[in-house]
């Protein structure tokens, strides 16, 4: 999945012949799953029509400070547009627009919006070869870079003037590749490996029966998706569940029993930087698994159970630098029990669910958790969606690595 998926992109088109290529650029953004809004300078409309870009972006195109076609002129709020964006790209960026960006000459909506943007700004210059090398243009490039803007260098080739050389706007495919590579390199968990457990485990009684629980696996899958969105390499060890990983970069390993989950986790644990145990692992399993289906006979029937291995505790016992996060589901003495689990399982952080909180627990879309860290710092969180809880947990992981 592209890192551009779900990103809100503001495309600023200025008036050069390369503007015709923005039609492909918008299509590629949409194909990557991005949301696109386009701002055009008045001059750019001579090269590509607003109708083309609004059709492809599925959004109205903005080009002036107010909507001229409307009798009650409606102001195009450049500040709102700028704040909407996760990323602004000016492509093609002509020498005129670049120069206005450096001096703050906001006589059009594109530059006014640029000046209001707080998101990362990229620019893809397009001009003739001599212009591209002119000291005045080079000083614009340098000024914009000094503002923290990122240049997508022009490419070499045939130019509109008939000359050949450097100055052609980067091809749309290359602009997309540049943005993806740049965004990926800046993801906060890039280069980190995370092991996550999810879902229930099934402990066989006989070939057709098992002991299981109501865990849906949603919390673990949300954690895995969010971790992958933040750039981590994710190994998700999942018990039986119908969930699928939304982020195709998540490696899902399906297991059935607590022992399978234990073995798989131990296979990967040494190589990971973080492990999060979100699975509802069975604490007990039948001591003997019948090889044939058990027939009904006596009025009463009991199954002897034995303890399963505690996966999280076993990881805590061998951990080196891994940041280890566990969950605790408690019904009474929540904080005290959770603190005991931190010590017993050698955790860095525990995510406490209290069944006394409405909206928390199995088969719910929401969760209400309290974080307790190794130093017993307690942080109660609001009731929120499991996706948002996953974001909060991964923020803890990110801040662990930014601190250390
Ligand atoms: N866990 C695990 N392996 C087990 C049991 C639990 O990895 N065999 C993990 C869970 O994924 C969770 C944490 O341990 O992150 C806490 O599980 P929980 O059931 O709340 O606590 P237990 O340690 O099993 O203790 P108790 O059931 O007595 O509360």
């Amino acid at each position: 999945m592209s890192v551009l998926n779900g990103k809100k992109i503001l495309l600023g088109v200025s008036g050069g012949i390369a503007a015709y290529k923005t039609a492909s650029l918008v299509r590629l953004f949409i194909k990557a799953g991005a949301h696109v809004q386009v701002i055009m300078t008045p001059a750019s409309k001579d090269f590509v029509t607003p109708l083309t870009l609004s059709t492809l972006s599925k959004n109205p195109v903005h080009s002036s400070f107010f909507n001229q076609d409307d009798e009650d002129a409606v102001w195009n709020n450049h500040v709102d547009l700028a704040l909407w964006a996760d990323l602004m790209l000016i492509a093609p960026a002509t020498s005129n627009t670049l120069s206005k960006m450096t001096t703050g000459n906001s006589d059009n909506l594109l530059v006014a919006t640029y000046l209001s943007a707080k998101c990362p700004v990229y620019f893809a210059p397009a001009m003739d070869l001599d212009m591209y090398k002119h000291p005045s243009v080079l000083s614009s490039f340098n000024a914009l870079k000094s503002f923290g803007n990122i240049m997508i260098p022009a490419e070499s080739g045939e130019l509109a003037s008939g000359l050949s050389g450097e100055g052609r706007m980067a091809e749309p495919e290359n602009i997309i590749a540049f943005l993806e590579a740049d965004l990926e390199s800046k993801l906060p968990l890039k280069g980190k490996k995370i092991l996550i457990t999810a879902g229930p485990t099934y402990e066989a009684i006989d070939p057709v029966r098992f002991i299981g629980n109501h865990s849906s696996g949603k919390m673990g899958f949300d954690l895995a998706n969010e971790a992958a969105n933040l750039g981590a390499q994710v190994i998700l060890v999942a018990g039986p569940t119908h969930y699928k990983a939304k982020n195709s970069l998540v490696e899902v390993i399906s297991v059935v029993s607590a022992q399978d989950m234990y073995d798989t986790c131990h296979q990967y644990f040494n190589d990971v930087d973080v492990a999060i145990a979100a699975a509802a692992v069975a604490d007990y399993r039948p001591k003997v698994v019948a090889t044939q289906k058990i027939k009904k006979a006596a009025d009463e029937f009991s199954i002897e159970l034995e303890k399963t291995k505690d996966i999280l505790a076993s990881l805590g016992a061998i951990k080196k630098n891994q940041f280890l996060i566990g969950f605790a589901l408690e019904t009474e003495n929540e904080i005290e029990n959770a603190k005991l689990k931190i010590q017993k399982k050698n955790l860095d952080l525990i995510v406490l669910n209290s069944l006394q909180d409405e909206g928390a627990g199995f088969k719910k879309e929401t969760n209400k958790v309290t974080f307790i860290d190794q130093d017993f710092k307690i942080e109660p969180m609001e009731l929120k969606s499991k996706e948002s809880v996953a974001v909060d947990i991964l923020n803890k992981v990110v801040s662990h690595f930014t601190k250390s």
Side-chain angles (χ1 to χ4, degrees):
M1 188 166 66
S2 168
V3 70
L4 293 168
N5 184 48
K7 286 263 174 321
K8 295 185 207 126
I9 295 174
L10 196 53
L11 174 64
V13 182
S14 62
I17 179 63
Y20 84 91
K21 292 186 185 173
T22 56
S24 312
L25 191 55
V26 171
R27 263 199 69 236
L28 291 171
F29 276 136
I30 298 289
K31 221 171 127 193
H35 308 284
V36 183
Q37 296 214 56
V38 180
I39 306 177
M40 301 181 77
T41 63
S44 70
K45 293 187 199 169
D46 293 332
F47 299 98
V48 61
T49 73
L51 183 60
T52 305
L53 297 183
S54 70
T55 308
L56 291 170
S57 67
K58 305 182 175 91
N59 271 316
V61 162
H62 314 277
S63 66
S64 56
F65 286 102
F66 61 92
N67 191 342
Q68 285 144 331
D69 302 331
D70 203 325
E71 261 179 40
D72 317 307
V74 177
W75 185 49
N76 257 326
N77 188 338
H78 59 90
V79 180
D80 274 356
L81 267 176
L83 296 182
W84 169 84
D86 294 320
L87 174 168
M88 184 172 188
L89 165 68
I90 292 124
T94 60
S95 64
N96 184 35
T97 290
L98 292 170
S99 149
K100 285 180 181 175
M101 285 160 66
T102 63
T103 56
N105 176 356
S106 56
D107 68 352
N108 65 42
L109 186 69
L110 193 162
V111 180
T113 309
Y114 161 75
L115 294 174
S116 306
K118 290 194 177 131
C119 60
V121 177
Y122 297 77
F123 60 99
M127 59 199 78
D128 212 58
L129 76 169
D130 293 318
M131 291 172 82
Y132 193 66
K133 287 198 194 104
H134 194 281
S136 152
V137 171
L138 294 181
S139 85
S140 291
F141 293 163
N142 288 334
L144 292 174
K145 286 182 196 165
S146 77
F147 302 160
N149 302 161
I150 301 155
M151 174 160 150
I152 305 177
E155 293 174 2
S156 272
E158 201 176 309
L159 299 159
S161 62
L163 298 171
S164 192
E166 209 176 6
R168 241 163 68 149
M169 184 179 85
E171 288 301 322
E173 290 78 6
N174 297 342
I175 291 181
I176 298 286
F178 184 102
L179 291 174
E180 286 179 335
D182 193 66
L183 291 172
E184 267 170 29
S185 72
K186 290 174 182 157
L187 288 173
L189 293 179
K190 184 82 196 159
K192 301 287 181 229
K193 245 188 182 181
I194 304 193
L195 174 70
I196 298 172
T197 67
T201 62
Y202 286 179
E203 309 304 323
I205 298 170
D206 69 13
V208 294
R209 301 182 182 96
F210 59 84
I211 298 172
N213 62 62
H214 289 301
S215 166
S216 65
K218 180 163 172 50
M219 191 68 243
F221 275 75
D222 286 346
L223 280 165
N225 285 323
E226 184 55 25
N229 291 345
L230 295 176
Q233 186 188 336
V234 183
I235 300 143
L236 177 64
V237 185
T241 163
H242 68 273
Y243 276 102
K244 302 241 175 319
K246 285 188 208 145
N247 189 317
S248 55
L249 297 174
V250 173
E251 184 186 346
V252 183
I253 302 176
S254 299
V255 295
V256 176
S257 67
Q259 186 63 43
D260 295 341
M261 193 175 269
Y262 176 95
D263 293 339
T264 312
C265 288
H266 278 269
Q267 197 182 324
Y268 290 95
F269 185 67
N270 271 340
D271 286 343
V272 301
D273 304 286
V274 180
I276 309 177
V281 186
D283 288 327
Y284 290 91
R285 66 179 174 201
K287 201 165 180 181
V288 178
V289 181
T291 51
Q292 302 299 329
K293 186 181 168 209
I294 301 169
K295 295 297 231 181
K296 62 175 170 294
D299 284 350
E300 285 186 10
F301 177 72
S302 50
I303 301 170
E304 200 179 346
L305 301 177
E306 65 181 4
K307 250 191 185 163
T308 56
K309 288 181 191 149
D310 188 318
I311 302 167
L312 183 57
S314 71
L315 301 179
I318 59 166
K319 83 167 182 191
K320 294 186 187 100
N321 295 322
Q322 291 92 340
F323 189 65
L324 193 56
I325 303 178
F327 279 73
L329 180 63
E330 305 291 344
T331 53
E332 56 182 352
N333 297 330
E334 293 92 337
I335 301 284
E336 283 320 304
N337 283 335
K339 283 180 179 174
L340 285 175
K341 271 178 201 168
I342 294 183
Q343 284 172 324
K344 208 171 82 188
K345 304 195 187 194
N346 194 19
L347 307 180
D348 296 286
L349 182 75
I350 200 154
V351 183
L352 168 65
N353 289 288
S354 167
L355 275 193
Q356 289 182 7
D357 285 321
E358 244 177 72
F362 286 166
K363 298 218 162 152
K364 296 256 170 64
E365 290 299 312
T366 51
N367 209 348
K368 163 116 184 49
V369 302
T370 300
F371 291 124
I372 308 177
D373 70 12
Q374 239 181 359
D375 305 323
F376 294 162
K377 200 179 121 222
I378 300 169
E379 201 181 333
M381 308 299 283
E382 300 291 311
L383 176 75
K384 31 181 106 172
S385 68
K386 286 190 175 168
E387 278 100 333
S388 308
V389 173
V391 170
D392 289 344
I393 294 171
L394 286 153
N395 280 341
K396 295 278 173 201
V397 174
V398 171
S399 52
H400 164 73
F401 288 113
T402 36
K403 262 190 286 167
S404 52

